[in-house]
Amino acid sequence: GDVPNLGCTSVSQFTHQGVTNPGVSAALISSDEMHVQVEAAQQWTNDPKAAVAKVLQQFNSNSNRGKPLWRGRTLLLMADGLRGGIETLARQFTVQSGMKYQIFGSVAADDVQFKETFVFHGSEVSSGAFACAEVLSAKPFGLGYGHGWVPEGRPLRVTHVDGACLIELNGRPAW
């Protein structure tokens, strides 16, 4: 049958063993106690509120509701990294779903070319889009990460951005 899938272009893969570049990362999830549905939206930055509402409507109308006591509700989100506004997208999912999901994911990258990035779901590949998977589970879905990075200096505060471009840190030019 059809297997739900989604992903995005990447510069490197980060694991507890370090950075891999080039490379491919994959995660496989299978369980009789989970239901996964993948949806996507094109050109969402024009109206993130409407794009999220449409995706949530699809989730609500198509999800396997035969098991009414799904305790775990997780949203895996992949978005075009050059469009900016990813925090707005995550906030819309949080607000419109009534904080129903724990959210994690990634933004697509293009090896610092700043030209075009892609997300995919099913057999569709798009730029300027996001794709997400709703993972409903009988038990809570645990999230963890370990990238092996260590701080190189003191923390900095982002004080100015322009879309997806970092302009200032602590009130000083970032470049």
Side-chain angles (χ1 to χ4, degrees):
D2 291 333
V3 177
N5 65 74
L6 76 156
C8 63
T9 53
S10 174
V11 174
S12 302
Q13 293 72 45
F14 303 94
T15 72
H16 66 285
Q17 295 178 340
V19 179
T20 302
N21 186 357
V24 175
S25 297
L28 307 173
I29 303 170
S30 177
S31 173
D32 292 336
E33 296 183 4
M34 289 185 179
H35 173 74
V36 178
Q37 180 178 334
V38 176
E39 295 293 338
Q42 307 297 322
Q43 305 306 321
W44 62 271
T45 55
N46 298 334
D47 192 350
K49 186 175 182 179
V52 168
K54 183 177 179 182
V55 166
L56 289 174
Q57 181 180 17
Q58 290 295 102
F59 285 156
N60 289 331
S61 64
N62 296 334
S63 288
N64 178 356
R65 301 299 179 201
K67 293 185 177 181
L69 299 177
W70 294 118
R71 292 179 47 215
R73 295 180 178 273
T74 302
L75 188 76
L76 168 56
L77 177 61
M78 305 250 174
D80 183 329
L82 297 179
R83 299 295 186 242
I86 306 302
E87 67 284 353
T88 300
L89 186 60
R91 185 173 38 255
Q92 283 299 318
F93 272 108
T94 300
V95 169
Q96 291 188 44
S97 72
M99 295 177 40
K100 177 167 70 170
Y101 299 106
Q102 63 177 341
I103 301 173
F104 75 109
S106 180
V107 294
D110 70 350
D111 203 15
V112 198
Q113 299 302 305
F114 298 105
K115 293 180 182 173
E116 192 169 33
T117 63
F118 298 92
V119 298
F120 70 84
H121 73 288
S123 61
E124 293 185 36
V125 178
S126 305
S127 184
F130 73 81
C132 56
E134 178 188 54
V135 181
L136 304 177
S137 54
K139 298 175 185 171
F141 190 86
L143 298 176
Y145 67 92
H147 47 65
W149 287 16
V150 295
E152 191 61 32
R154 62 183 176 79
L156 301 172
R157 180 178 302 270
V158 174
T159 52
H160 185 214
V161 296
D162 182 8
C165 293
L166 177 63
I167 305 298
E168 287 182 358
L169 294 167
N170 288 354
R172 298 180 67 195
W175 297 97

